[in-house]
Amino acid sequence: MSAAGWMLVAAPVASLVVLSALLRPRAAGVDAPHRLGVVRAALLTGVFAVLTVEVLGALDALTLPAFALAWLLFVAGVAVAAATHRRSGRVAGRPGTTAARTRRAVLVGSAVGGPTAQGPGGGGPRADDLTGDPAAGTRAELPSTAGRGVAAVLSDWAGRLTHLRRTATRGERLLAGGVLAMVSIELVVALLAEPNNFDSQTYHLPKVEHWVAQGSLEFWPTAIHRQVTIPPGAEYLLLHLRLFTGGDALHNLVQWAAGIGCLLAATRITAQLGGGRRAQLLTAFLLATTPMVALQATSTQTDLVAAAWAACAATLVLDGLRRRADLTAALALGAATGLTALTKTSGLIAVGPLLLLWGLAQLRLAGGGTGHSAGAGTGHSAGGGTDRTGRAVDGVGSDPATRAADRPAPTGTRQVARTVGGSLLVLLVAATVVGPFLARETAEFGHPLGPPRLRESIPMERHDPASVLVNALRIGHTAFDTPLAPLRAGTAGAITAGSRAVGVDPQDRAITFGREVFPVPSWYPDEDRVAFPLAGSLALLGALFALARPRRVSPGRPGTLRAYAAVVVLAVVLHTAMIKWQPWGNRLLLYALVLAVPLAGLWVDAVLRRRPGAGRGSVAAGLVVTVLATSALAGVLALSYGFPRRLVGAGSVFTTSEWDTRFLRRPQWADEFRWAASAVRASDARRIGLVQQNDNWEYPWWLLLRGDDGRSPELVALQSVLPDRPPADPTSVDAIVCTGPRTECARLVPAGWTIEYRDHVGYALPPPR
């Protein structure tokens, strides 16, 4: 990659860092404000990246110069905003100004008698700050770091991490160290391993190559409908890296960054639900060591990206439960909704109920609730206060000044209208993000969700209670699978017998994807299907206790906890009622797992808060430690031996060649693709026809047939499943490459051409002239 390419790659990263500081809320009373700043910055950067693709695609300008200009303008805008903020910060900080006097008063007040920095269990910092910054315990307004440059922002984070290291207990250090180790190893694997996900070879990466080759987002004839029908949000992000670098060397970093986003959003959710530092670290640890998360963080799949956007929506919704949303909050929530829909529509199964909860909470606050506006604060947690021990509690604090600041804002029709307007703004922003893609789908197929084969293959086609129950049991069995074969066989047999007892065929195509047959083993650490029994079980227990006894889990915020747990449970129920069982269903549940793990972290923390000598409490604490150790082992094994990217053994990223790494899913195809491509390149063919089936690999052709100057080859499909996009005439191409059965290839090869075929791959050339 050239120096210019590295500079372009650095542009989004630098913008994200500066925006995180610019968009961090300055008001008091906001949980984990630094992480909220990162969430807002990620959403703004993501929306910019998406709209850049949409606008330039409409102009037939998906080119490196156009993208470079767009990012140059974006970086310039961020720099201007930072400079403006810096000047305003200097003015606000001058002696004698109102802002300066207020800041000094707050800092002095916190120094002489502010709330303590202890969490609900008295064993760590308040819920608003994972790193335990002393100032965070008082919610004091500190001088802005946004105006002091990127170095100051990084220095601020370094200082906070140093404080964490100094004040954390041994257990907290182990949890934080485990998370850091997992993330670091994932980064190494993501950088060393070439993209080798099966779906990426079939449609994720080919669609990026088609956009680069044609310079637009216009649909193309193809035999693989998923290249044009599956939402392209994650691939839009990959397109930027593809143009910047000229290849796929950094493609895995999109999902790795999404994994970081999931950790930040999930820990902030834990804080918003009343969890202190230990609960947040437990959440991060359980999520980071879940094999599905660890493996997808080094992949070009899209599930982790969708989960990150859904988690952003969830943390923004929780803000809206206790304070009236301002313009920034509504815009951010709309962006999170739109990005989720554009990446994976299944994520809307959770985002939809979350939006409903947000809307109801906003109406309640508009009708006379005690919440604050998103831009105001009182020195206590959002909509709450602290008791004498510093615990966060629902409701209003006991301090007279706090009660005065917490008085309800004027109510009436105006407030309700404002809430309705905010809800409409959320939907408008979401439609702006996902609307162009849905419009193309509707124009092409007459339906925003694509052709009938897509709408009927994944969604449930039966919704009677018995069918939904059977589907839920099968999904649960696959999600909680373990290496214990007798347990797997016993539960699968019980589900199969039980389904027949209620009159449902366990293999019914109306509730089963494709031709798959239940059950299938899913315990092995494979990125497409690995189960999550530990994190899933803890999340299930956390949800049950949150619904039944929320005060035991979060003494300060039981109402918020119960509402959130109800939404997560509803999302899982809706998922089982809407999505057919399939062997790869665990990765489709990843968004729900990310949203549910904070419940697990809170419940585990509640167990550990019990006095060590309390009999059952000691036993429970021992079990928790055992589970955490097992979870750590599962994460380490997933990175060490997981498939198809691993650290050790056959297929290691350190010892396997680039080409062999790409074909670890199908090693027998590697030489066949190279053999066919070499013959076609030797023929000097310029226009090359493709013959393939819906699940064949197309991406290797884009790599092998690329020009010596890096220019994309001219590949055209000789079959098309798009009714209004006819395939190319076989006589119009200079050569044909085929994957799949030889008979399909021979059927399309013009008379007189020579066909050469091996087991899975072949090619055809015209007679010599």
Side-chain angles (χ1 to χ4, degrees):
M1 183 169 57
S2 65
W6 279 113
M7 292 178 63
L8 289 173
V9 170
V13 178
S15 299
L16 183 64
V17 172
V18 177
L19 285 172
S20 297
L22 284 174
L23 297 176
R24 179 175 65 86
R26 309 299 173 208
V30 178
D31 290 309
H34 287 80
R35 275 169 278 171
L36 179 56
V38 175
V39 167
R40 290 174 172 177
L43 291 171
L44 177 57
T45 306
V47 168
F48 172 78
V50 165
L51 294 184
T52 296
V53 173
E54 290 288 359
V55 171
L56 295 180
L59 298 174
D60 294 338
L62 297 181
T63 62
L64 176 58
F67 273 64
L69 177 60
W71 277 105
L72 178 63
L73 294 174
F74 185 73
V75 171
V78 171
V80 170
T84 302
H85 190 89
R86 182 176 185 178
R87 285 195 297 270
S88 64
R90 285 176 176 175
V91 172
R94 289 175 183 170
T97 63
T98 302
R101 289 194 300 269
T102 302
R103 183 178 294 114
R104 285 197 300 271
V106 171
L107 290 174
V108 171
S110 65
V112 299
T116 68
Q118 298 301 308
R126 282 280 304 280
D128 48 300
D129 202 305
L130 176 63
T131 58
D133 188 341
T138 65
R139 313 290 175 89
E141 177 67 30
L142 297 177
S144 169
T145 60
R148 295 185 284 137
V150 175
V153 175
L154 297 177
S155 176
D156 178 63
W157 276 98
R160 301 168 74 83
L161 292 175
T162 300
H163 185 81
L164 168 63
R165 187 175 65 253
R166 291 176 178 174
T167 61
T169 65
R170 180 179 299 177
E172 289 171 343
R173 291 195 191 98
L174 287 174
L175 293 173
V179 173
L180 181 61
M182 292 292 295
V183 169
S184 300
I185 296 173
E186 289 164 6
L187 177 60
V188 171
V189 176
L191 289 172
L192 292 179
E194 286 72 28
N196 61 358
N197 173 264
F198 195 103
D199 285 346
S200 296
Q201 306 275 23
T202 301
Y203 67 95
H204 289 311
L205 301 186
K207 72 169 66 173
V208 175
E209 297 299 326
H210 277 285
W211 294 333
V212 173
Q214 64 189 25
S216 73
L217 299 176
E218 183 181 1
F219 291 162
W220 53 90
T222 178
I224 304 173
H225 77 87
R226 292 174 292 174
Q227 291 182 358
V228 296
T229 58
I230 298 294
E235 291 89 340
Y236 279 2
L237 304 181
L238 291 175
L239 176 60
H240 290 260
L241 291 178
R242 168 64 176 86
L243 290 172
F244 292 166
T245 65
D248 59 16
L250 301 182
H251 278 10
N252 291 332
L253 293 186
V254 170
Q255 283 257 112
W256 180 82
I260 300 296
C262 288
L263 291 174
L264 292 175
T267 54
R268 183 169 190 265
I269 290 171
T270 306
Q272 291 170 292
L273 297 176
R277 181 166 69 189
R278 185 174 61 192
Q280 296 173 55
L281 288 172
L282 285 166
T283 296
F285 184 83
L286 290 172
L287 190 58
T289 55
T290 298
M292 177 67 77
V293 175
L295 291 171
Q296 287 237 355
T298 65
S299 170
T300 47
Q301 255 308 356
T302 62
D303 305 282
L304 209 51
V305 178
W309 297 136
C312 288
T315 191
L316 294 170
V317 164
L318 286 175
D319 282 336
L321 297 189
R322 299 193 162 277
R323 51 178 66 236
R324 287 189 277 281
D326 61 3
L327 179 62
T328 300
L331 291 174
L333 186 54
T337 302
L339 290 170
T340 302
L342 187 64
T343 304
K344 217 173 188 68
T345 51
S346 57
L348 293 178
I349 296 175
V351 174
L354 284 168
L355 290 178
L356 179 60
L357 178 64
W358 181 84
L360 293 174
Q362 290 294 298
L363 286 174
R364 177 183 62 83
L365 294 173
T370 60
H372 317 300
S373 68
T378 66
H380 292 277
S381 60
T386 58
D387 62 15
R388 294 180 180 178
T389 65
R391 296 176 180 173
V393 295
D394 283 334
V396 181
S398 59
D399 182 79
T402 302
R403 289 200 300 270
D406 282 342
R407 287 171 185 166
T411 61
T413 306
R414 184 175 179 181
Q415 291 294 334
V416 174
R418 178 183 173 186
T419 300
V420 173
S423 301
L424 293 176
L425 180 59
V426 170
L427 298 179
L428 177 61
V429 173
T432 301
V433 175
V434 73
F437 169 71
L438 296 181
R440 290 193 297 274
E441 288 283 292
T442 303
E444 189 73 29
F445 303 107
H447 195 286
L449 298 182
R453 67 181 300 177
L454 177 63
R455 302 196 305 270
E456 297 170 0
S457 61
I458 297 178
M460 288 274 285
E461 297 178 79
R462 289 181 57 178
H463 298 90
D464 56 284
S467 296
V468 172
L469 175 61
V470 171
N471 194 55
L473 291 174
R474 295 183 305 167
I475 289 176
H477 177 273
T478 305
F480 290 88
D481 192 20
T482 70
L484 303 176
L487 178 62
R488 180 190 316 122
T491 53
I495 292 172
T496 300
S499 63
R500 293 197 174 99
V502 297
V504 177
D505 181 359
Q507 316 302 343
D508 186 352
R509 297 301 102 188
I511 61 173
T512 305
F513 178 83
R515 300 178 181 178
E516 305 302 325
V517 177
F518 173 83
V520 295
S522 59
W523 63 269
Y524 186 79
D526 184 304
E527 67 173 352
D528 284 336
R529 64 175 64 188
V530 62
F532 32 83
L534 293 176
S537 298
L538 292 176
L540 179 60
L541 289 170
L544 292 176
F545 276 90
L547 292 173
R549 296 184 177 181
R551 290 191 181 277
R552 283 196 174 186
V553 180
S554 178
R557 301 185 184 179
T560 302
L561 176 63
R562 178 176 280 169
Y564 180 79
V567 169
V568 171
V569 171
L570 176 61
V572 174
V573 171
L574 290 175
H575 184 100
T576 60
M578 297 173 66
I579 306 296
K580 294 178 179 177
W581 175 87
Q582 54 185 283
W584 314 278
N586 288 342
R587 65 181 182 82
L588 300 183
L589 269 172
L590 191 55
Y591 73 93
L593 178 70
V594 171
L595 297 183
V597 166
L599 302 175
L602 285 164
W603 178 74
V604 172
D605 182 61
V607 171
L608 294 176
R609 281 204 307 267
R610 295 185 179 184
R611 291 181 293 109
R616 288 182 300 176
S618 299
V619 174
L623 290 175
V624 165
V625 171
T626 302
V627 170
L628 291 177
T630 306
S631 183
L633 178 62
V636 170
L637 290 177
L639 287 177
S640 300
Y641 297 99
F643 197 73
R645 291 166 303 281
R646 57 176 52 168
L647 292 173
V648 298
S652 167
V653 295
F654 296 112
T655 60
T656 308
S657 68
E658 172 190 345
W659 192 248
D660 289 337
T661 298
R662 295 182 184 277
F663 281 83
L664 282 175
R665 286 284 187 190
R666 296 292 185 272
Q668 67 273 21
W669 293 352
D671 290 338
E672 295 190 22
F673 269 94
R674 298 178 76 168
W675 160 76
S678 297
V680 171
R681 289 177 65 92
S683 71
D684 291 327
R686 296 290 182 266
R687 181 176 166 89
I688 303 166
L690 288 173
V691 178
Q692 55 193 358
Q693 286 70 56
N694 185 57
D695 210 30
N696 289 169
W697 288 11
E698 180 181 312
Y699 186 59
W701 298 126
W702 291 96
L703 297 176
L704 291 167
L705 299 175
R706 186 175 295 171
D708 294 333
D709 58 356
R711 184 171 300 179
S712 298
E714 185 180 2
L715 297 179
V716 295
L718 302 186
Q719 310 138 287
S720 179
V721 295
L722 278 64
D724 298 328
R725 308 277 175 177
D729 186 342
T731 61
S732 69
V733 300
D734 303 321
I736 296 174
V737 291
C738 308
T739 52
R742 179 190 176 105
T743 53
E744 288 296 316
C745 184
R747 183 176 62 84
L748 293 169
V749 171
W753 285 40
T754 301
I755 302 178
E756 297 290 340
Y757 226 92
R758 290 192 177 177
D759 183 48
H760 179 74
V761 178
Y763 67 91
L765 297 173
R769 296 180 180 177

